[in-house]
Amino acid sequence: MRPSQAKDHPAASPPRPIAAVPGASLPHGPVAGGGEGRDTACTAASGPLPDGPAEVRRIDADVPGAVGRLLDQVLEERLRRARLADPLFAEEVAERVARFTLHGGKRTRAQLVWWATRACAGRDPASAAAALRIGGALELLQTCALVHDDVMDRAVLRRGQPTLHTDLTDRYADRVGRERARRFGQSVALLAGDLALAWADDLVAETPLAAWTGVAVRRLWSDMRTEMVAGQYLDVQGQITGARSLSRVLRAAHLKSALYSVERPLALGAAVAGADDVTLRRLCDAGRRVGLAFQLRDDLDDVFGDPRETGKTCGGDIREGKPTYLVAVARARAEAAGDGTALALLDRWLGDDALTEPALDEVREVLVATGARAIVEAKVDQLAARGLRHFDGAVLDPEGAGPLRALLLATAGVRPGEARSGGAQPGEPRSGGAQPGEARPGEARPGGDAPVRLRPVPDPYPSRARGGAGSGR
């Protein structure tokens, strides 16, 4: 496959540095080689470039396929080197990393990079190559994150298949016993995640970029890696300490998912295309909100989703006692209503790794009865709508803007036409005693946003006496 890249820049006018935006601190000042043109700076790193804009547009028709072909090429070379290092390591670790990366996932982050580049008028072969390569690196980084997450969460399924550490445990259990095999599987999974991260970093480092574009991309990449680790730390620290305040939960979700899953991929794509400061800021503002909507939708799917669609066992967050926004809202609502039974049920089952399906039904009932599910679903719509307001304020190339807008909606889990404009950010203070996480219909956010139009959220527990959560499923 031919790697690709995206946007026309005159050779005599190299991209200028991207100014710092909230959450993205980029360096300023001259860099050696900063005057070199894009055509000179961006030569092929692994195979020929696309012939021109027409071939770039052909990639538009199947971006996941193009990223997959790039990864095929990159991982074939990485596996060759791994086999030279040690055949057993290559078979049991490197090949598992490659298979996991190549076979599964929607490549959403890679698509966000590609379409952000295209929306910022990236259509030249060099920019397209860089966008695909950075998208491929994000897929490898996602492999690292998921493999490590599965160990920390003790998950047994991922994408409908045994998790990497579970697969290795099963492979060695008859030989060394279940417990020793379990520890071995977890240890190897950590090494596999490390290998995926190293390959991701290699792919970014080997991507040819004009001088200032390279500075911007490498800084964004570095910040993103730190942010995702910080978010994961807050997640596991919240589990062990029981820290479940709304602000703390949202902070973890912002770092762990909103930035890494949407905002940073958009910023990376914009940086590759040499976007101006205003466009970058608009895309980052949109990505921050859509990314948080993505995480809140994931929280809902973990409890209420269909495992055949999610590829994961239902209730994993409940079993692990994860401090999700969904649970935090339910707890806050139950406390406000004085519902001791609902609180007792949450305390009883959160963090119980032996959680049964009937017990999970009890938790589901609390999440519904307190209004938490409806509030979070409304929040997803609200965040998506506000993200689109920022997105629609950017001046973008129509070739990429339409597909990118649709991708952002899909990422937030909102069908086109469902998102409504306006809305306040989660965690913003409201006057008049609104419940945590709840927006009042028609309320305007300070700063001039349009009134919020949300589905009405019912008062807590309208159909039963105060104090009973029930378990009638």
Side-chain angles (χ1 to χ4, degrees):
M1 124 127 247
R2 307 198 252 241
S4 21
Q5 286 190 333
K7 168 166 185 175
D8 299 315
H9 290 287
S13 178
R16 63 187 178 82
I18 299 175
V21 297
S25 53
L26 302 179
H28 295 270
V31 172
E36 95 185 88
R38 177 176 292 268
D39 292 339
T40 303
C42 299
T43 55
S46 58
L49 295 169
D51 296 333
E55 188 164 341
V56 171
R57 292 189 184 99
R58 281 195 288 273
I59 293 174
D60 289 347
D62 184 15
V63 178
V67 174
R69 291 189 294 275
L70 171 69
L71 285 169
D72 272 334
Q73 183 183 49
V74 169
L75 292 175
E76 182 180 0
E77 172 60 17
R78 293 306 189 273
L79 288 176
R80 185 188 68 79
R81 296 184 194 178
R83 293 182 187 108
L84 289 174
D86 184 82
L88 182 61
F89 158 74
E91 178 187 352
E92 298 214 336
V93 183
E95 289 182 11
R96 277 181 165 82
V97 170
R99 282 197 302 270
F100 187 93
T101 305
L102 290 170
H103 305 296
K106 299 176 182 177
R107 309 218 186 283
T108 300
R109 293 164 185 83
Q111 291 189 70
L112 287 167
V113 174
W114 175 265
W115 287 114
T117 300
R118 297 286 283 115
C120 294
R123 62 177 67 91
D124 65 278
S127 294
L132 285 183
R133 291 175 64 81
I134 291 167
L138 278 170
E139 292 298 312
L140 283 162
L141 186 63
Q142 176 73 344
T143 293
C144 167
L146 293 180
V147 169
H148 284 175
D149 278 359
D150 287 342
V151 172
M152 288 182 273
D153 295 345
R154 295 175 291 178
V156 296
L157 282 180
R158 171 68 68 179
R159 297 172 178 169
Q161 300 294 325
T163 53
L164 192 146
H165 68 275
T166 300
D167 182 38
L168 284 162
T169 297
D170 293 342
R171 180 180 177 89
Y172 279 84
D174 290 342
R175 192 182 313 180
V176 300
R178 193 75 190 174
E179 182 57 27
R180 288 186 65 193
R182 183 185 64 82
R183 293 197 300 270
F184 169 77
Q186 292 174 343
S187 298
V188 176
L190 294 179
L191 295 174
D194 290 346
L195 183 64
L197 175 61
W199 286 352
D201 286 345
D202 289 346
L203 192 48
V204 173
E206 294 166 4
T207 297
L209 295 164
W212 264 115
T213 302
V215 170
V217 165
R218 285 189 291 273
R219 177 62 66 84
L220 286 165
W221 182 263
S222 175
D223 287 348
M224 179 181 63
R225 291 180 310 167
T226 300
E227 290 156 358
M228 62 183 287
V229 174
Q232 185 66 27
Y233 168 74
L234 291 180
D235 197 34
V236 297
Q237 201 267 354
Q239 290 176 233
I240 199 68
T241 62
R244 298 188 180 98
S245 71
L246 290 170
S247 60
R248 171 66 177 268
V249 168
L250 286 172
R251 180 62 181 162
H254 171 73
L255 286 168
K256 182 182 176 183
S257 189
L259 284 167
Y260 161 61
S261 296
V262 184
E263 182 178 345
R264 291 309 194 194
L266 290 177
L268 286 164
V272 164
D276 60 77
D277 301 342
V278 173
T279 301
L280 176 64
R281 186 171 290 107
R282 292 282 190 182
L283 289 177
C284 286
D285 287 342
R288 191 171 309 124
R289 287 153 181 83
V290 170
L292 190 52
F294 168 80
Q295 180 58 53
L296 298 188
R297 175 63 65 190
D298 189 66
D299 294 346
L300 287 163
D301 287 345
D302 182 81
V303 180
F304 297 102
D306 184 344
R308 291 171 298 182
E309 296 180 4
T310 64
K312 298 186 294 183
T313 306
C314 229
D317 289 350
I318 304 300
R319 290 183 180 88
E320 289 302 309
K322 285 197 173 187
T324 65
Y325 184 68
L326 177 65
V327 170
V329 170
R331 187 178 294 277
R333 299 273 287 185
E335 288 174 351
D339 191 339
T341 304
L343 289 169
L345 276 170
L346 291 174
D347 289 338
R348 167 67 183 88
W349 296 121
L350 285 174
D352 188 334
D353 58 8
L355 182 77
T356 62
E357 189 63 28
L360 180 57
D361 279 342
E362 291 187 355
V363 175
R364 289 182 178 123
E365 185 170 340
V366 170
L367 297 176
V368 172
T370 57
R373 180 181 184 178
I375 287 170
V376 175
E377 286 176 341
K379 187 65 68 180
V380 169
D381 290 352
Q382 185 180 4
L383 284 163
R386 294 199 67 233
L388 290 179
R389 283 173 57 84
H390 288 285
F391 179 85
D392 292 341
V395 178
L396 299 171
D397 189 318
E399 278 193 4
L404 181 55
R405 194 179 197 278
L407 181 59
L408 289 172
L409 275 173
T411 301
V414 179
R415 289 187 295 272
E418 283 189 350
R420 288 165 285 280
S421 63
Q425 297 183 60
E428 286 183 346
R430 299 181 177 279
S431 59
Q435 294 293 343
E438 183 176 359
R440 293 176 164 185
E443 181 180 5
R445 176 178 179 267
D449 275 359
V452 182
R453 298 282 194 272
L454 297 178
R455 296 187 298 268
V457 177
D459 289 335
Y461 329 124
S463 61
R464 61 183 176 84
R466 180 174 172 229
S471 56
R473 293 196 183 201

